[in-house]
Amino acid sequence: MTTDTLTVGEALVDMLEQAGVDTVFGIPGVHTIELYRGLAASSIRHITPRHEQGAGFMADGYARVSGRPGVCFVITGPGLTNTLTAMAQARADSIPILVISGVNATATLGQGRGHLHELPDQAALAATVALWSHSLTDPADLGDVLARAFSVMTSARPGPVHIEIPTDVMKLPAAAAGFVMPQPQPRHSDASDIDAAARLCANARKPAILIGGGAVRHAAAIRRFAEALDAPVISTTNARGVMAGHPLDVPASPSLGCVRTLLNQSDLVLALGTELGPTDCDMYEDGGFTLPANLIRVDVAGDQLARGVKAALAIQADLGAFIHDMLSGGPSWAQSQPAAGAKRARAAREQAKSELGESYLGHIDLLQEIWQALPDATLVGDSTQLVYAGNMYVEAPRPASWFNSATGFGTLGYAAPAAIGAALGDPGRSAVALLGDGGLQFTLAELGSARDCDADVAFLVWNNSGYMEIETSMTSAGITPIGVTPSAPNFSAVAAAYGLPSRRVQNRDELIAALKDLPRPCLVEYLDAATG
């Protein structure tokens, strides 16, 4: 079939196939059915969540583990507004998701006459969280618009992109012009910046590296760079696992005093692919996070370098390209007899554990036991006790095996759908969703989505009968707790209603056994003894 015999909706799906898209998350509606005309005949798998927010979170989890943008189809108006929370989470964590929505027919736009799903300016609303939001009105522009969307999502700092297509335009014949997938080239540093960075590295005797989510796709390069510099590598939440098992690994939060001491006792710090955000570096909001004056920041986004901590040397570059340039030709700055870095890293790991309380250490041990039992698992978290502990310290087994919504934008309801997306994005690995009893109820119906697609997911519900973290904060502030004890359903009964096996457990051994034994998808409810 030639392109000029296709409708815009069919041509869009054809172009998504050309771009390598294999999965779309969405809920069809009268304003997107023309997209589904093409989808049914394609090789793209369609996953139906129970809510459009779930579609966005699934696309997020899919993107994190696969390294490819997650794609959503959502309807006009409420479909898009329901997805905005997921788009905001993706924006905060620099995750590429493409949201394609319908919009009312061209002749009705901006009239305010009460058409179905009408918004005053839908594209402008999406633009508040999207890197780019575009309304496609000319079929001839389809290929260029889609190419730009992929370019925006992948060529600089990633994030969500939105394209809306009026319902009447979806039906029009597509123009003959095709689609060419953009092939952005990594941005390299200026030679003068590389020379300056090399001089700083050569003069350093106690360097350290701090990495963020931008490092996830460059794990091997960062290991080589850290070894050459003999520098401990401290990872923020989204970078855990980049240095997995390496003697230079410090998988601990910069919010901890011992990690801050390590950084401030260093004579050079390189901040690589991290925005140095407060929820990573100042979780307790004590204002104690500082960095030495001798700081190199490397980020693909120039505007990010202008925010927050000022660096002695700020370099806008693709992180992989920067490390390649630094290591090329056998770097003269490399340490000839590395030894001190591993010793400093080991001391920081030990001090971090001693700084954490007994409760957090117990949670961290449980997380490590889960990985011992399920070494290939991806742990996807909501805001709950296990996740808070792991964000302070956890030794993840590989990049993108630990991520959650408890930092940055900090939405609840993330883990269940994001874990489904993660399992679909990397079919060879299972996913474990770490959930509180309150947080799961934000997206409880996604248990049915997991059953529909037989996702390899275990939903681990940490049931402490309410929002314990908020209750503790209210008590500490001298406020009588109110609104923090929402009743929970019988989770096992809900799971059974959706056809999921489940087990209620009360100790660690039972929990691990359930995760190992139950067929997927499944639900495991842990009754926190602290709540009686």
Side-chain angles (χ1 to χ4, degrees), residues 62-82:
Y62 174 97
R64 293 189 197 233
V65 301
S66 71
R68 303 187 302 275
V71 180
C72 301
F73 282 179
V74 299
I75 65 165
T76 307
L80 180 67
T81 57
N82 286 342

Side-chain angles (χ1 to χ4, degrees), residues 308-462:
V309 181
K310 297 298 182 287
L313 179 60
I315 300 175
Q316 183 181 2
D318 175 85
L319 184 52
F322 167 77
I323 295 176
H324 175 271
D325 293 341
M326 288 290 290
L327 292 176
S328 62
S332 59
W333 50 263
Q335 300 295 314
S336 58
Q337 294 181 323
K343 183 177 180 180
R344 294 171 65 211
R346 182 173 63 253
R349 291 194 298 268
E350 293 171 354
Q351 291 165 8
K353 290 182 178 180
S354 66
E355 192 173 326
L356 294 168
E358 182 178 343
S359 175
Y360 266 22
L361 289 175
H363 294 334
I364 292 165
D365 286 344
L366 176 57
L367 292 171
Q368 304 298 166
E369 285 190 40
I370 291 173
W371 268 315
Q372 290 173 11
L374 306 171
D376 290 332
T378 301
L379 271 54
V380 183
D382 229 308
S383 292
T384 194
Q385 290 179 323
L386 280 176
V387 173
Y388 297 139
N391 283 351
M392 298 307 289
Y393 186 102
V394 76
E395 298 180 21
R398 63 186 182 281
S401 60
W402 171 266
F403 56 87
N404 56 77
S405 63
T407 62
F409 193 58
T411 180
L412 277 171
Y414 172 83
I420 295 170
L424 297 174
D426 191 350
R429 301 186 190 278
S430 63
V432 178
L434 305 175
L435 308 138
D437 55 291
L440 176 55
Q441 292 184 73
F442 277 56
T443 48
L444 182 60
E446 301 303 351
L447 298 182
S449 304
R451 177 75 285 165
D452 287 348
C453 61
D454 287 328
D456 190 352
V457 177
F459 300 96
L460 172 52
V461 187
W462 196 264

Side-chain angles (χ1 to χ4, degrees), residues 162-229:
H162 168 244
I163 299 172
E164 66 176 16
I165 308 175
T167 53
D168 56 322
V169 174
M170 290 181 192
K171 304 174 186 178
L172 295 176
F179 165 72
V180 178
M181 183 68 173
Q183 301 294 331
Q185 297 301 309
R187 180 187 178 113
H188 283 260
S189 318
D190 293 336
S192 59
D193 285 338
I194 295 297
D195 290 342
R199 286 194 297 272
L200 289 170
C201 289
N203 293 329
R205 295 296 173 263
K206 294 174 65 178
I209 297 171
L210 176 60
I211 59 174
V216 168
R217 306 297 167 195
H218 306 290
I222 286 172
R223 285 170 171 251
R224 292 194 300 271
F225 183 70
E227 290 165 357
L229 191 59

Side-chain angles (χ1 to χ4, degrees), residues 3-259:
T3 304
D4 59 1
T5 66
L6 303 178
T7 66
V8 166
E10 290 172 313
L12 170 68
V13 171
D14 185 61
M15 292 176 186
L16 290 174
E17 282 188 292
Q18 294 178 51
V21 173
D22 61 13
T23 305
V24 164
F25 304 94
I27 301 175
V30 294
H31 283 181
T32 53
I33 58 174
E34 285 298 330
L35 300 182
Y36 285 78
R37 186 189 302 278
L39 195 63
S42 76
S43 62
I44 297 175
R45 167 181 51 180
H46 183 271
I47 303 297
T48 307
R50 297 304 189 266
H51 190 281
E52 288 92 355
Q53 186 182 98
F57 288 148
M58 288 179 190
D60 177 301
Y62 174 97
R64 293 189 197 233
V65 301
S66 71
R68 303 187 302 275
V71 180
C72 301
F73 282 179
V74 299
I75 65 165
T76 307
L80 180 67
T81 57
N82 286 342
T83 313
L84 286 176
T85 296
M87 293 173 67
Q89 182 71 45
R91 177 69 178 261
D93 283 351
S94 301
I95 305 302
I97 65 173
L98 173 59
V99 177
I100 300 172
S101 77
V103 72
N104 292 90
T106 307
T108 72
L109 296 179
Q111 294 188 7
R113 294 182 177 177
H115 288 278
L116 180 66
H117 303 330
E118 185 176 19
L119 284 168
D121 190 339
Q122 182 175 278
L125 179 62
T128 61
V129 292
L131 297 176
W132 182 56
S133 179
H134 181 80
S135 183
L136 176 73
T137 57
D138 186 344
D141 294 336
L142 176 60
D144 289 342
V145 167
L146 193 61
R148 182 175 175 186
F150 276 96
S151 180
V152 169
M153 285 189 295
T154 59
S155 62
R157 187 179 184 184
V161 166
H162 168 244
I163 299 172
E164 66 176 16
I165 308 175
T167 53
D168 56 322
V169 174
M170 290 181 192
K171 304 174 186 178
L172 295 176
F179 165 72
V180 178
M181 183 68 173
Q183 301 294 331
Q185 297 301 309
R187 180 187 178 113
H188 283 260
S189 318
D190 293 336
S192 59
D193 285 338
I194 295 297
D195 290 342
R199 286 194 297 272
L200 289 170
C201 289
N203 293 329
R205 295 296 173 263
K206 294 174 65 178
I209 297 171
L210 176 60
I211 59 174
V216 168
R217 306 297 167 195
H218 306 290
I222 286 172
R223 285 170 171 251
R224 292 194 300 271
F225 183 70
E227 290 165 357
L229 191 59
D230 191 31
V233 181
I234 300 148
S235 55
T236 61
T237 295
N238 286 328
R240 297 288 164 79
V242 168
M243 293 289 291
H246 198 286
L248 294 170
D249 187 24
V250 183
S253 171
S255 299
L256 293 173
C258 62
V259 177

